[in-house]
């Protein structure tokens, strides 16, 4: 599978954002996005300057640092443009079902003077203490297309230079308040842990929320205060289903109960049992949604975990090296836009060649862009030296070089 004119498609996607920047700033914006895709895990500013030294996007290190820390441009405006073009490209119609996925992640840091850093328990490392930043991230999912939507930096109480303390739930609420869909859709917010406060915010904006309850949670069933673990013991309420989840066929036992959460109202509690796995308790504010749909919808949340992995391993999410808070926030926003660019690149390439799979990974997409950039540079150099080369051999060499 080979992408054609990938670089031109990337430049076309970037042109959508031209109105959000001055002419010099737009060139720097393009440099960052292409640089993140090209460099992957080495996506910090000084590496980017070196990588672009011989291209038409070449700029000095001070230009890059000013763009992140001082230049006048708004992250929210740029991300809003991305959202508009996401809807336009995928032709998302009114009343379509879309999902807003929420998750948090820790970015390790070592500098004690970096604003917003603190010590956190990392669930990915068996609750090890990790020093760094904690980010609340949101992404919009339509069918199989995932678009990074927003990022908010969580900081511990007493952190200097970061403004007032806000909980992660408050940050998630701010993200929801800033979502302005180009067309009215049926939006489901998917979060890994239940929050009545967040559910009330969803209801305020006409959204539904599906999340996971703790095993010690309590709801009201038929006006009786009932622990959800007690509901799991009602074996007659369960039915066995076969369902395709997380890339596998699974055999599950599921049961649905209509319950009341005080201060919120009616919800659906769906209990999921799987052999050799802990019982899961899902809750949906749409109590009319069938149990199987609740399970399927909630399973979409794993996509944001894969996205975070790609952002860290493929696009340089963790690689900012600055003590300027605004520069840190802008770095993360540009990484999200680099991911968005690759998602749209896949769609543009597929529209030209239907043999291209829509399931290709972000790593593969980034590789295609890197190959095109390297091929262009090598071709120019070889033509200058009047040396002939075989394209297939060069492609094979670059695949090994970029892997």
């Amino acid at each position: 599978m080979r992408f054609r004119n990938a670089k031109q498609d990337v430049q076309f996607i970037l042109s959508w954002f031209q109105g959000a920047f001055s002419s010099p700033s737009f060139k720097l914006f393009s440099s960052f996005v292409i640089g993140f895709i090209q460099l992957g895990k080495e996506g910090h500013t000084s590496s980017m300057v070196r990588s672009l030294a011989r291209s038409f996007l070449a700029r000095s290190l001070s230009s890059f640092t000013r763009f992140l820390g001082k230049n006048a441009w708004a992250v929210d405006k740029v991300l809003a443009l991305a959202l508009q073009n996401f809807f336009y490209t995928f032709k998302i119609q009114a009343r379509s079902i879309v999902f807003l996925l929420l998750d948090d992640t820790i970015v390790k840091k070592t500098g004690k003077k970096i604003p917003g850093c603190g010590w956190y328990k990392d669930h990915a490392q068996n609750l090890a203490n990790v020093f760094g930043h904690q980010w609340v991230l949101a992404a919009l999912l339509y069918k199989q297309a995932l678009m990074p939507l927003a990022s908010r930096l969580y900081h511990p109480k007493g952190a200097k230079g970061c403004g007032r303390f806000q909980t992660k739930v408050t940050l998630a609420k701010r993200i929801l308040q800033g979502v302005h869909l180009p067309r009215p859709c049926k939006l489901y917010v998917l979060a890994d842990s239940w929050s009545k406060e967040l559910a009330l915010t969803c209801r305020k904006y006409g959204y539904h929320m599906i999340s996971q309850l703790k095993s010690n949670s309590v709801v009201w069933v038929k006006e009786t205060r009932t622990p959800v673990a007690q509901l799991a013991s009602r074996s007659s309420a369960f039915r066995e289903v076969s369902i395709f989840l997380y890339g596998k066929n699974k055999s599950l036992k599921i049961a649905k109960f209509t319950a009341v959460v005080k201060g919120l109202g009616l919800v659906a509690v769906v209990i999921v049992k799987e052999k050799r796995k802990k019982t899961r308790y899902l809750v949906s504010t749409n109590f009319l949604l069938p149990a199987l749909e609740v399970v399927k919808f909630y399973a979409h949340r794993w996509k944001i975990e894969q996205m975070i992995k790609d952002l860290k391993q493929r696009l340089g999410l963790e690689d900012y090296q600055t003590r300027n808070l605004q520069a840190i926030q802008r770095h993360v926003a540009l990484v999200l836009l680099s991911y968005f660019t690759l998602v749209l690149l896949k769609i543009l390439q597929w529209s030209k060649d239907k043999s291209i799979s829509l399931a290709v990974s972000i790593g593969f997409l980034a590789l295609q862009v890197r190959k095109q950039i390297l091929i262009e540079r090598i071709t120019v150099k070889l033509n200058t030296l009047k040396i002939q080369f075989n394209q297939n051999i060069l492609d094979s060499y670059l695949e090994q070089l970029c892997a």
Side-chain angles (χ1 to χ4, degrees), residues 194-197 199-200 203 213 217-222 224 226 228 257-269 282-285 287:
W194 171 253
S195 163
K196 185 172 73 174
E197 185 181 350
L200 287 168
R203 177 167 291 178
L213 289 170
S217 299
V218 174
V219 294
W220 291 78
V221 180
K222 295 180 180 179
T224 302
T226 309
V228 291
F257 302 88
T258 301
V260 172
V261 173
K262 286 206 167 180
L264 178 66
L266 285 171
V267 298
V269 176
L282 305 181
V283 58
S284 168
T285 57
F287 58 89

Side-chain angles (χ1 to χ4, degrees), residues 1 26 194 204 230 263 282 292 313 334 360:
M1 186 190 309
F26 177 69
W194 171 253
K204 176 182 176 181
Q230 184 177 317
L282 305 181
L292 205 55
Q313 295 183 356
L334 290 168
V360 294

Side-chain angles (χ1 to χ4, degrees), residues 2 6-7 34 37-39 51 55 366-382 389 391 394-403:
R2 182 181 171 192
K7 184 180 176 183
I34 293 174
I37 294 170
Q38 181 181 343
L39 291 168
S51 73
S55 77
L367 172 62
Q368 297 305 307
V369 177
R370 292 172 200 157
K371 282 174 60 179
Q372 294 251 334
I373 293 171
L374 286 169
I375 285 171
E376 182 178 287
R377 291 180 180 175
I378 293 171
T379 303
V380 170
K381 185 67 175 176
L382 294 178
F389 67 97
Q391 183 68 48
L394 182 59
D395 282 349
S396 176
Y397 169 71
L398 290 175
E399 282 184 11
Q400 297 177 34
L401 184 66
C402 297

Side-chain angles (χ1 to χ4, degrees), residues 166-198:
Q166 297 180 82
T167 65
K168 284 186 278 187
V169 171
T170 302
L171 295 175
K173 286 170 59 179
R174 282 181 55 200
I175 291 173
L176 282 176
Q177 290 161 4
V179 174
H180 303 289
L181 301 179
R183 295 186 182 89
C185 293
K186 297 178 182 178
L187 189 143
Y188 285 84
V189 176
L190 309 181
D192 63 345
S193 58
W194 171 253
S195 163
K196 185 172 73 174
E197 185 181 350
L198 189 58

